């Protein structure tokens, strides 16, 4: 069985995931469904790059941007929330 310190650490880690899910929910209320926005972003980026992109590829590229930022500050809470949020959006769009 885990001790109290282990359990606290576990819930602190889970906080990032819960915050990410809540942020995604709020963004969808404010801006509309993620699939619609990422389809549009894929269409626009496809035009710029002259290469067809999918919404899932766009989400992965956004995650890579956040991962690159995390390399500079490995404890940056907001960046970890963003990465978890993109994983949540990826799962929703991939249904």
């Amino acid at each position: 069985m885990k001790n109290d310190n282990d359990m606290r650490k576990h819930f602190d880690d889970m906080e990032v995931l819960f915050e990410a899910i809540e942020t995604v929910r709020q963004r969808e209320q404010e801006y509309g469904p993620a699939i619609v926005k990422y389809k549009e972003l894929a269409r626009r980026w496809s035009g710029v790059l002259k290469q067809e992109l999918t919404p899932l590829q766009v989400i992965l590229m956004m995650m890579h941007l956040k991962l690159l930022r995390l390399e500079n500050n490995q404890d940056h809470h907001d960046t970890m929330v963003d990465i978890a949020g993109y994983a949540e959006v990826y799962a929703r769009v991939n249904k």
Side-chain angles (χ1 to χ4, degrees), residues 2-84:
K2 293 185 176 190
N3 66 35
D4 287 344
N5 286 337
D6 288 340
M7 290 302 287
R8 253 186 252 115
K9 171 79 170 101
H10 175 73
F11 286 116
D12 287 346
D13 293 343
M14 296 294 290
E15 179 184 330
V16 168
L17 300 176
F18 293 134
E19 188 174 339
I21 291 168
E22 178 60 20
T23 299
V24 169
R25 187 190 66 75
Q26 288 173 357
R27 295 295 183 272
E28 284 196 335
Q29 284 182 344
E30 188 171 343
Y31 301 114
I35 185 62
V36 173
K37 297 304 173 190
Y38 284 98
K39 279 183 178 180
E40 177 59 18
L41 190 54
R43 186 190 69 74
R44 290 181 186 199
W45 283 7
S46 294
V48 170
L49 297 172
K50 307 287 190 253
Q51 178 179 335
E52 191 68 29
L53 296 175
T54 68
L56 293 176
Q57 289 171 317
V58 169
I59 295 166
L60 289 173
M61 288 189 292
M62 297 299 292
M63 287 177 78
H64 280 282
L65 171 65
K66 297 298 181 171
L67 288 167
L68 183 64
R69 289 181 178 173
L70 196 60
E71 288 178 14
N72 290 335
N73 184 351
Q74 296 173 357
D75 296 323
H76 196 261
H77 179 81
D78 288 346
T79 300
M80 288 186 272
V81 170
D82 290 345
I83 292 167

